[in-house]
Amino acid sequence: MKNEVLVLSYAGCGTCKKALQWLNQHGVAYRLRAIVDAPPTQAELAQWVPQSGVSVRKWLNTSGQSYRALGKEKVDAASDAQLIRWLAADGKLVKRPVLVQGNTVLVGFKPETYSQHLSGT
């Protein structure tokens, strides 16, 4: 379904909870996917990163343990292709939530961005 809203979320994430609450309050139907159990694939990332309009580095959850375990130096030295491999391998490394609807891909949660993209869904 083209207009289906897919949300990649982590149950323990406060930002994800806020995003889901916003979607529920605004009557937006969505399909939930556990980002840790089913992280975005390399193929999905290859499509979604350009559609999100932000660089692959903005997809990194820089406050998470997975990022700290890799270390800033290692991440800074990595190529975009390497970052995509890491993101696909570890859902906790991905900034969340990730919302996908058609050609729209939103990373993180800002109520104003959700309003802008999801009004009339």
Side-chain angles (χ1 to χ4, degrees), residues 1-5 102:
M1 253 178 44
K2 176 136 178 56
N3 282 336
E4 179 183 62
V5 175

Side-chain angles (χ1 to χ4, degrees), residues 45-58:
L45 288 164
Q47 185 181 354
W48 292 349
V49 170
Q51 287 177 332
S52 71
V54 296
S55 78
V56 69
R57 294 183 183 278
K58 297 266 190 230

Side-chain angles (χ1 to χ4, degrees), residues 38-75:
T41 64
Q42 288 189 41
E44 285 171 333
L45 288 164
Q47 185 181 354
W48 292 349
V49 170
Q51 287 177 332
S52 71
V54 296
S55 78
V56 69
R57 294 183 183 278
K58 297 266 190 230
W59 280 69
L60 294 167
N61 173 15
T62 55
S63 57
Q65 289 175 336
S66 295
Y67 179 85
R68 285 198 294 273
L70 279 172
K72 186 177 179 339
E73 274 182 37
K74 192 172 175 183
V75 171

Side-chain angles (χ1 to χ4, degrees), residues 1-119:
M1 253 178 44
K2 176 136 178 56
N3 282 336
E4 179 183 62
V5 175
L6 170 65
V7 180
L8 283 75
S9 174
Y10 175 58
C13 167
T15 306
C16 294
K17 288 176 188 164
K18 287 180 194 157
L20 297 177
Q21 183 179 11
W22 188 98
L23 292 169
N24 292 331
Q25 285 173 341
H26 290 81
V28 177
Y30 57 89
R31 183 166 58 91
L32 199 56
R33 182 164 126 195
I35 200 165
V36 175
D37 301 332
T41 64
Q42 288 189 41
E44 285 171 333
L45 288 164
Q47 185 181 354
W48 292 349
V49 170
Q51 287 177 332
S52 71
V54 296
S55 78
V56 69
R57 294 183 183 278
K58 297 266 190 230
W59 280 69
L60 294 167
N61 173 15
T62 55
S63 57
Q65 289 175 336
S66 295
Y67 179 85
R68 285 198 294 273
L70 279 172
K72 186 177 179 339
E73 274 182 37
K74 192 172 175 183
V75 171
D76 286 349
S79 66
D80 285 1
Q82 179 62 60
L83 292 174
I84 283 180
R85 284 194 294 278
W86 287 340
L87 289 165
D90 184 355
K92 287 193 174 174
L93 191 56
V94 183
K95 184 174 183 173
R96 43 191 190 255
V98 176
L99 183 143
V100 182
Q101 180 192 33
N103 292 327
T104 300
V105 179
L106 306 177
V107 184
F109 171 64
K110 291 192 175 98
E112 59 278 12
T113 310
Y114 271 43
S115 293
Q116 190 181 343
H117 290 282
L118 296 168
S119 56

